[in-house]
Amino acid sequence: MKRIIITYLVALTSFSAFSQSPDSVKFRSLEPYDFHLQYLREEPALLIDVREFFEFRGKRIKGAVNIPSSGNLDFAADTLSKDLALFLYCTTDYRSIRVAEKFSNSGFRKIYNLEGGIVQWRKDGFPVEKRKVRKHK
């Protein structure tokens, strides 16, 4: 009987160590299809391209705003409403993961990262736009 209880406690402890509570998850990385669906579901939501401006003015996802990862992210975090669901992407997802962590540490709770970035988005056949964008001064 003692062996059964010990086995049960070990199993219970192991299971709880591997499970994450919703509060411990800082952000979610989603493949392009799921990223797009989640973006359509969330209200209010903001699609953020964290690439540099010269990259953004090339091809980008329609409706995205440009907040470069090299810019003042603290200012952006202080300016944006914490109620917004943030959808972040970059070229491959390297920079957007770092920005997601930064926004999470600033108090945002609904953060989604495009897994594989715009490269994967395009590979999966999702549209991008290319039109002239002027840099605001």
Side-chain angles (χ1 to χ4, degrees), residues 74-129:
D74 293 328
F75 177 76
D78 290 343
T79 305
L80 298 172
S81 168
K82 303 289 191 261
D83 295 330
L84 282 171
L86 304 180
F87 289 81
L88 309 172
Y89 74 92
C90 63
T91 304
T92 60
D93 88 358
Y94 179 79
R95 290 175 281 183
S96 57
I97 286 173
R98 271 104 197 116
V99 173
E101 290 170 350
K102 183 102 170 147
F103 279 125
S104 176
N105 292 336
S106 296
F108 290 88
R109 293 295 160 240
K110 291 183 182 178
I111 306 169
Y112 303 93
N113 174 60
L114 177 57
E115 196 170 287
I118 198 167
V119 169
Q120 190 62 48
W121 177 268
R122 292 181 68 197
K123 273 186 188 175
D124 287 3
F126 287 93
V128 292
E129 73 173 354

Side-chain angles (χ1 to χ4, degrees), residues 13-70:
T13 306
S14 298
F15 178 75
S16 64
F18 289 111
S19 65
Q20 284 186 316
S21 69
D23 292 337
S24 69
V25 178
K26 292 185 173 213
F27 63 91
R28 290 179 56 198
S29 284
L30 301 173
E31 293 180 2
Y33 179 79
D34 297 322
F35 183 85
H36 179 66
L37 283 180
Q38 190 65 36
Y39 179 69
L40 295 174
R41 286 184 197 130
E42 291 287 347
E43 187 66 38
L46 183 62
L47 180 61
I48 303 172
D49 185 325
V50 301
R51 299 176 300 162
E52 296 302 313
F53 181 72
F54 70 89
E55 296 170 287
F56 176 75
R57 73 176 183 213
K59 293 186 174 146
R60 64 198 160 279
I61 298 173
K62 186 176 184 177
V65 297
N66 185 225
I67 302 176
S69 61
S70 65

